Amino acid sequence: MRGITGGDAQPEWGESSQNWPMADRRDRRPALPNPIRRAARGGLPLNRWSWRGLGVAALAILGAFSGASLLAVVWPKPDRSAHLREEITAATLAPKPAQAVTVLVIGSDADKLRGPSNGAAPPGPANGDTVLLVRVTPKGPVQVLQLPSELALSLPGRKAPVALGQLYREGGVALTAETLRELLGLGSSAPERYLVVPRQALRELVDALGGLEVSPPRRMKYRDQALKYTIDLQSGLQRLTGGKVEQMVRFRDKWLGEAGRRANQQLVINGLQQQMGQPAQLAILPPLIQTWSSQVETNLSQQEFLSLLAAGLDNPKPLQFSSLPMKPATKDFGELRQLDSVAGKPLWPQV
């Protein structure tokens, strides 16, 4: 390597020895101590002092390696590939929506989509056992409106009132969305998206996430002889499988009725948000959503799904639950409840 001044420059560390000037082979021979040199030339024996010196040198080298190994344990070398791995957070799942998006979520009482029977009571086509409106905004909290499935509604051509949960059986997502839009005073385009989740999809989602940490508020025990279905849950904080979570959202307390079921739904929804937000779960969400989409009915694309999850999980504010004002139950309507007429529209104001 030639220097700028015209002379030979010193080689840089790591430079190949082929670029170095050729040296006299005699100069490259290492200088040996006199006893070792004489032994190498004339076969003279090495004295005890020479072996002692080699032993000390070997111990010194061994000590150096041992010290280096100990330091490596105390201060391990940095992972050179760390900068190549992108940290996975809720914000990196997908770009967040730039405007408010409202999603109609229907929890079907059928086990699978398009099943001939719901396998529940009353038997027949699927009902909307759970009806929610979820509003995701760019800055505010995620808002969840829990709509009572027992809400009494009047439909054209029907003399008797119809329960809100029955609308999905009567006219699917379209009738449910149109009725809620008129009832709540929503905009002409809301809800923009919908999601129908049968019972099997709920179970498999929970199991894929490794279960949910939920605290049932009371002992839940029920046996349906006709359906051959059993609910058996203890109270207190515990990790529930998908089957146990299904039991929790289906349990109907004889004193609290549907209001108790909605309280259980809140616990499960909060548990889903907390579990999905764990770092270990964020990495599996994209492939999980891709697989799970085939088990639900929705007009959400995978990218839109991840966008809503990014906005909901990367949000320091807790979920904001609300409900509709209802009149007390009366004998005239049986299990159905009427909406309190004193409430003004919109019944679900945007925060």
Side-chain angles (χ1 to χ4, degrees):
M1 179 176 178
R2 298 287 180 179
I4 298 177
T5 59
D8 292 341
Q10 294 294 327
E12 298 179 1
W13 294 110
E15 187 176 357
S16 174
S17 61
Q18 296 178 355
N19 297 330
W20 291 14
M22 183 65 68
D24 189 348
R25 293 181 182 272
R26 292 174 297 179
D27 297 337
R28 300 172 63 185
R29 183 181 303 168
L32 301 175
N34 289 335
I36 300 178
R37 186 181 301 151
R38 286 198 300 271
R41 289 179 179 176
L44 297 177
L46 297 177
N47 56 28
R48 296 179 180 176
W49 178 90
S50 302
W51 284 111
R52 187 181 296 112
L54 289 176
V56 172
L59 289 175
I61 295 173
L62 181 60
F65 277 108
S66 300
S69 300
L70 182 60
L71 289 176
V73 173
V74 179
W75 289 289
K77 294 181 179 180
D79 185 2
R80 295 181 178 180
S81 64
H83 68 282
L84 300 176
R85 299 194 299 264
E86 182 182 3
E87 182 182 3
I88 299 177
T89 65
T92 63
L93 285 175
K96 299 177 184 179
Q99 59 187 16
V101 179
T102 302
V103 183
L104 169 62
V105 180
I106 299 176
S108 168
D109 61 0
D111 193 60
K112 297 180 181 179
L113 285 176
R114 292 173 291 276
S117 176
N118 55 12
N127 294 284
D129 214 27
T130 301
V131 183
L132 308 171
L133 282 176
V134 181
R135 181 184 289 149
V136 179
T137 58
K139 295 182 180 180
V142 176
Q143 302 169 57
V144 181
L145 176 62
Q146 293 183 281
L147 294 155
S149 58
E150 73 275 22
L151 176 63
L153 298 172
S154 298
L155 293 183
R158 295 289 187 92
K159 295 182 179 179
V162 176
L164 172 63
Q166 193 178 340
L167 292 183
Y168 182 68
R169 172 191 288 212
E170 299 289 338
V173 173
L175 178 60
T176 306
E178 180 182 354
T179 303
L180 292 178
R181 188 181 303 118
E182 181 180 353
L183 175 70
L184 303 175
L186 302 176
S188 58
S189 61
E192 292 81 14
R193 295 292 184 268
Y194 67 86
L195 172 66
V196 181
V197 183
R199 291 186 281 118
Q200 182 187 37
L202 173 64
R203 295 193 303 268
E204 296 195 3
L205 174 63
V206 173
D207 289 337
L209 294 172
L212 295 185
E213 278 198 355
V214 185
S215 181
R218 64 187 66 84
R219 181 81 163 89
M220 300 180 185
K221 191 172 180 63
Y222 174 75
R223 172 67 178 172
D224 192 316
Q225 298 292 344
L227 300 176
K228 297 180 180 181
Y229 184 73
T230 301
I231 296 175
D232 190 1
L233 293 174
Q234 299 291 335
S235 61
L237 183 62
Q238 55 195 290
R239 182 168 290 274
L240 300 182
T241 63
K244 293 293 187 180
V245 169
E246 179 190 352
Q247 292 181 25
M248 186 169 174
V249 297
R250 292 181 68 177
F251 179 74
R252 188 177 186 272
D253 188 279
K254 63 180 180 179
W255 303 111
L256 299 177
E258 293 295 334
R261 297 179 77 177
R262 286 190 284 274
N264 295 338
Q265 294 168 12
Q266 287 190 23
L267 296 175
V268 170
I269 294 171
N270 279 319
L272 282 170
Q273 185 198 37
Q274 293 173 8
Q275 186 68 8
M276 287 184 176
Q278 298 295 325
Q281 306 299 334
L282 290 171
I284 69 170
L285 283 183
L288 173 59
I289 293 303
Q290 183 177 11
T291 303
W292 193 66
S293 297
S294 62
Q295 303 177 25
V296 299
E297 179 186 352
T298 184
N299 61 349
L300 282 164
S301 67
Q302 183 181 2
Q303 188 69 13
E304 291 173 341
F305 218 129
L306 293 175
S307 177
L308 295 177
L309 284 176
L313 298 177
D314 187 38
N315 195 327
K317 300 178 182 179
L319 296 175
Q320 185 180 81
F321 291 92
S322 57
S323 58
L324 297 181
M326 307 286 290
K327 288 183 178 180
T330 61
K331 293 182 179 181
D332 296 336
F333 282 84
E335 293 185 352
L336 299 185
R337 300 278 302 278
Q338 288 181 291
L339 185 67
D340 195 340
S341 58
V342 298
K345 292 186 177 180
L347 294 177
W348 191 37
Q350 187 166 347
V351 177

